Amino acid sequence: MPGPRVVPVHGDEVLPKRVDVVVIGGGIIGTTTALELAEQGLRVALCEKGQIGHEQSSRNWGWVRISRRDPREIPLMAQALSIWQSLDQRIEADTGYTRAGIVFACHNQEQIDQNQQWLQQVQGYPVTSKMLDAGQFNQKFPDNRIGAVGALYTPEDGRAEPQKVAPAIAEAARRNGAFILTECAVRGVETSAGHVSSVITERGEIACQSVVLAGGAWSSLFTSRHDLRLPQLKVINSVIRTAPLEGPTEALWCHGFAIRKRQDGGYTVASGHENLSDLVPDAFRYARDFLPALKSEWRSLRFRLGSRFLDEARLDRRWKMDRASPFEYCRVLDPIPSYAMADRALAHLQQHLPAFQPAKVAQYWAGCIDVVPDAVPVISAVDSKPGFFIATGFSGHGFGIGPAAGRLMADLVLGRSPIVDPHAFRYSRFSDGSKIEILSGV
């Protein structure tokens, strides 16, 4: 697999006959949900069709940020910043987490105004985000040629190592009694008297009272099998990992590139504004849902028509549960990166930060970001299917917010007071006539 090397997790050999909750998906959302539930004494089985953390949970930039979040995510992300502080101690592992700060460069007055408006959204939260003027920005990044007229700086933001985090959380969940089942695709959910009663996996049936779908980019396909409509598309982001190099400790976003220091001494480099979107059947199936987002975000997308259209058109959306599901024929989404986009980001970086001119590429990879029309996640019960819950659609924002999202999901499953108001994350917003709002954020 050309993607990043992920800390391996060896799955359990024995399939439990009965648990309280089955979590589908072994990314950061699924593993944190499993950990939260297991810590409360529930019997949990986490089922992953491939290996733990091998899709977008290990392929993202590794940013842990509240800055420039959609206002609806800010309360949950504030909780996440608190959870990250003691996460390594809690899971008895090194995730590489550190608070090093994140800087968003402003290239014009409009961006300054947007960031000043955003600052009003975090008043009352334990963060000290502030605007930097051009001189203060230049002090942080000496000899830069970015030409920033200012910047948004949040010292409480940080970073962690995506290839380590989901595996470490999964192991912690296992120490708390959870079953970690890899190469164990869930084919579907069974109900009894209208309530969830079991899941059918490729290795057999597991009886349960609740199911949490944390399937990332696969979630819409899974829900369609159960007559649930989840508008979701995939966006591909391409990333470079450099060899070790001296440079800034703060993560930096600007129009041409985004960087963050890695624990291995290198940098993760990607475009700050360019992504690929393959034209596939779902793009037409959900076109009306995504039209408002397309109007505001089209400049950041490069549309592509290629083999993915036929690959996804051939997918069986009504598979029988006694036969192999699509999840068994594709264990890991491992898209080919756009070398042109990645190289363009590196060239912009080397042009505007001379300290990176000696940078050497150690690896390229790409990841599939699961996006929903308003770019705000679904963390919700499904009212029409009691016992079924969804945690997906994090739209490229899932890594940093993951620990708090897992806690909120566990709150909903347990029926206890939620860590934040979950109203903005309800699944029903896509079908109850609610206006889909595209708010400021990245």
Side-chain angles (χ1 to χ4, degrees), residues 417-440:
S417 179
I419 190 173
V420 299
D421 182 355
H423 181 74
F425 311 125
R426 68 196 185 283
Y427 167 68
S428 63
R429 71 185 189 266
F430 299 124
S431 59
D432 63 7
S434 298
K435 181 181 178 181
I436 300 301
E437 294 184 280
I438 311 299
L439 302 180
S440 61

Short mmCIF file of all heavy atoms in Angstrom, two decimals, residues 417-440:
data_model
loop_
_atom_site.label_atom_id
_atom_site.label_comp_id
_atom_site.label_asym_id
_atom_site.label_seq_id
_atom_site.Cartn_x
_atom_site.Cartn_y
_atom_site.Cartn_z
N SER A 417 -26.39 12.79 29.48
CA SER A 417 -26.32 14.19 29.09
C SER A 417 -25.13 14.40 28.15
O SER A 417 -24.00 14.06 28.48
CB SER A 417 -26.16 15.08 30.33
OG SER A 417 -26.06 16.43 29.97
N PRO A 418 -25.37 14.97 26.96
CA PRO A 418 -24.28 15.07 25.97
C PRO A 418 -23.26 16.14 26.34
O PRO A 418 -23.59 17.14 26.98
CB PRO A 418 -25.01 15.43 24.67
CG PRO A 418 -26.28 16.09 25.11
CD PRO A 418 -26.65 15.43 26.41
N ILE A 419 -22.05 15.91 25.91
CA ILE A 419 -20.93 16.82 26.20
C ILE A 419 -21.18 18.21 25.61
O ILE A 419 -20.74 19.21 26.17
CB ILE A 419 -19.60 16.20 25.70
CG1 ILE A 419 -18.40 16.98 26.19
CG2 ILE A 419 -19.59 16.06 24.20
CD1 ILE A 419 -17.08 16.31 25.86
N VAL A 420 -21.86 18.28 24.47
CA VAL A 420 -22.31 19.54 23.87
C VAL A 420 -23.69 19.29 23.27
O VAL A 420 -24.11 18.15 23.08
CB VAL A 420 -21.35 20.07 22.77
CG1 VAL A 420 -19.96 20.33 23.34
CG2 VAL A 420 -21.29 19.11 21.59
N ASP A 421 -24.37 20.35 22.93
CA ASP A 421 -25.66 20.23 22.26
C ASP A 421 -25.46 19.59 20.89
O ASP A 421 -24.76 20.14 20.04
CB ASP A 421 -26.28 21.62 22.11
CG ASP A 421 -27.66 21.59 21.47
OD1 ASP A 421 -28.12 20.50 21.06
OD2 ASP A 421 -28.30 22.66 21.37
N PRO A 422 -26.07 18.43 20.63
CA PRO A 422 -25.83 17.73 19.36
C PRO A 422 -26.74 18.17 18.22
O PRO A 422 -26.68 17.58 17.14
CB PRO A 422 -26.12 16.27 19.74
CG PRO A 422 -27.20 16.38 20.78
CD PRO A 422 -26.91 17.64 21.56
N HIS A 423 -27.56 19.19 18.42
CA HIS A 423 -28.58 19.54 17.44
C HIS A 423 -27.98 19.80 16.05
O HIS A 423 -28.54 19.36 15.03
CB HIS A 423 -29.36 20.77 17.90
CG HIS A 423 -30.44 21.19 16.95
ND1 HIS A 423 -31.63 20.51 16.83
CD2 HIS A 423 -30.52 22.24 16.07
CE1 HIS A 423 -32.39 21.10 15.92
NE2 HIS A 423 -31.74 22.14 15.44
N ALA A 424 -26.87 20.51 15.98
CA ALA A 424 -26.27 20.85 14.69
C ALA A 424 -25.80 19.62 13.92
O ALA A 424 -25.63 19.68 12.70
CB ALA A 424 -25.11 21.82 14.88
N PHE A 425 -25.61 18.50 14.62
CA PHE A 425 -25.04 17.30 14.01
C PHE A 425 -26.11 16.25 13.69
O PHE A 425 -25.77 15.12 13.34
CB PHE A 425 -23.99 16.71 14.93
CG PHE A 425 -22.97 17.70 15.43
CD1 PHE A 425 -22.75 17.87 16.79
CD2 PHE A 425 -22.26 18.50 14.55
CE1 PHE A 425 -21.83 18.79 17.26
CE2 PHE A 425 -21.34 19.43 15.00
CZ PHE A 425 -21.12 19.58 16.36
N ARG A 426 -27.37 16.59 13.80
CA ARG A 426 -28.44 15.61 13.64
C ARG A 426 -28.50 15.10 12.20
O ARG A 426 -28.37 15.87 11.24
CB ARG A 426 -29.78 16.20 14.07
CG ARG A 426 -30.29 17.29 13.16
CD ARG A 426 -31.39 18.12 13.81
NE ARG A 426 -31.93 19.10 12.85
CZ ARG A 426 -31.32 20.22 12.51
NH1 ARG A 426 -30.14 20.53 13.04
NH2 ARG A 426 -31.88 21.04 11.63
N TYR A 427 -28.72 13.83 12.05
CA TYR A 427 -28.87 13.21 10.73
C TYR A 427 -30.10 13.74 10.00
O TYR A 427 -30.09 13.92 8.77
CB TYR A 427 -28.96 11.69 10.91
CG TYR A 427 -29.43 10.93 9.69
CD1 TYR A 427 -28.64 10.85 8.55
CD2 TYR A 427 -30.67 10.28 9.70
CE1 TYR A 427 -29.07 10.14 7.43
CE2 TYR A 427 -31.10 9.57 8.59
CZ TYR A 427 -30.30 9.51 7.46
OH TYR A 427 -30.73 8.81 6.36
N SER A 428 -31.16 14.04 10.73
CA SER A 428 -32.43 14.42 10.12
C SER A 428 -32.38 15.75 9.40
O SER A 428 -33.33 16.08 8.67
CB SER A 428 -33.53 14.46 11.19
OG SER A 428 -33.25 15.45 12.17
N ARG A 429 -31.32 16.54 9.56
CA ARG A 429 -31.28 17.85 8.90
C ARG A 429 -31.28 17.74 7.39
O ARG A 429 -31.62 18.71 6.70
CB ARG A 429 -30.07 18.65 9.38
CG ARG A 429 -28.71 18.17 8.89
CD ARG A 429 -27.59 19.00 9.53
NE ARG A 429 -26.27 18.75 8.98
CZ ARG A 429 -25.39 17.89 9.46
NH1 ARG A 429 -25.71 17.15 10.53
NH2 ARG A 429 -24.20 17.76 8.91
N PHE A 430 -30.92 16.57 6.87
CA PHE A 430 -30.90 16.39 5.42
C PHE A 430 -32.25 15.98 4.85
O PHE A 430 -32.40 15.86 3.64
CB PHE A 430 -29.84 15.36 5.03
CG PHE A 430 -28.45 15.73 5.42
CD1 PHE A 430 -27.68 14.90 6.22
CD2 PHE A 430 -27.90 16.93 5.01
CE1 PHE A 430 -26.39 15.25 6.59
CE2 PHE A 430 -26.61 17.30 5.38
CZ PHE A 430 -25.86 16.45 6.17
N SER A 431 -33.23 15.75 5.73
CA SER A 431 -34.53 15.27 5.25
C SER A 431 -35.72 15.98 5.87
O SER A 431 -36.85 15.74 5.46
CB SER A 431 -34.66 13.76 5.51
OG SER A 431 -34.54 13.48 6.90
N ASP A 432 -35.50 16.84 6.88
CA ASP A 432 -36.63 17.45 7.58
C ASP A 432 -36.98 18.85 7.09
O ASP A 432 -37.74 19.58 7.73
CB ASP A 432 -36.38 17.48 9.09
CG ASP A 432 -35.18 18.34 9.49
OD1 ASP A 432 -34.60 19.02 8.62
OD2 ASP A 432 -34.81 18.32 10.68
N GLY A 433 -36.39 19.23 5.96
CA GLY A 433 -36.68 20.54 5.42
C GLY A 433 -35.79 21.65 5.94
O GLY A 433 -35.97 22.82 5.57
N SER A 434 -34.81 21.31 6.78
CA SER A 434 -33.89 22.32 7.30
C SER A 434 -33.08 22.93 6.17
O SER A 434 -32.68 22.23 5.23
CB SER A 434 -32.93 21.70 8.32
OG SER A 434 -33.63 21.19 9.43
N LYS A 435 -32.81 24.22 6.26
CA LYS A 435 -31.96 24.88 5.28
C LYS A 435 -30.52 24.47 5.54
O LYS A 435 -30.03 24.56 6.67
CB LYS A 435 -32.10 26.39 5.38
CG LYS A 435 -31.25 27.14 4.36
CD LYS A 435 -31.40 28.64 4.52
CE LYS A 435 -30.51 29.39 3.52
NZ LYS A 435 -30.62 30.87 3.68
N ILE A 436 -29.84 23.99 4.51
CA ILE A 436 -28.45 23.61 4.63
C ILE A 436 -27.60 24.87 4.51
O ILE A 436 -27.59 25.54 3.46
CB ILE A 436 -28.05 22.57 3.57
CG1 ILE A 436 -28.90 21.31 3.73
CG2 ILE A 436 -26.57 22.24 3.67
CD1 ILE A 436 -28.80 20.64 5.07
N GLU A 437 -26.90 25.21 5.59
CA GLU A 437 -26.14 26.45 5.64
C GLU A 437 -24.64 26.19 5.48
O GLU A 437 -24.10 25.29 6.14
CB GLU A 437 -26.38 27.18 6.96
CG GLU A 437 -27.82 27.67 7.14
CD GLU A 437 -27.98 28.46 8.41
OE1 GLU A 437 -28.10 27.83 9.48
OE2 GLU A 437 -27.97 29.70 8.34
N ILE A 438 -24.00 26.95 4.64
CA ILE A 438 -22.56 26.90 4.46
C ILE A 438 -22.00 28.10 5.19
O ILE A 438 -22.17 29.25 4.77
CB ILE A 438 -22.16 26.94 2.98
CG1 ILE A 438 -22.98 25.94 2.16
CG2 ILE A 438 -20.68 26.70 2.81
CD1 ILE A 438 -22.80 24.50 2.59
N LEU A 439 -21.34 27.86 6.34
CA LEU A 439 -20.81 28.94 7.15
C LEU A 439 -19.30 29.04 6.97
O LEU A 439 -18.66 28.16 6.36
CB LEU A 439 -21.16 28.72 8.62
CG LEU A 439 -22.66 28.60 8.92
CD1 LEU A 439 -22.89 28.38 10.40
CD2 LEU A 439 -23.43 29.82 8.44
N SER A 440 -18.71 30.07 7.51
CA SER A 440 -17.26 30.29 7.34
C SER A 440 -16.48 29.24 8.09
O SER A 440 -16.84 28.80 9.17
CB SER A 440 -16.88 31.69 7.85
OG SER A 440 -17.16 31.81 9.22
#
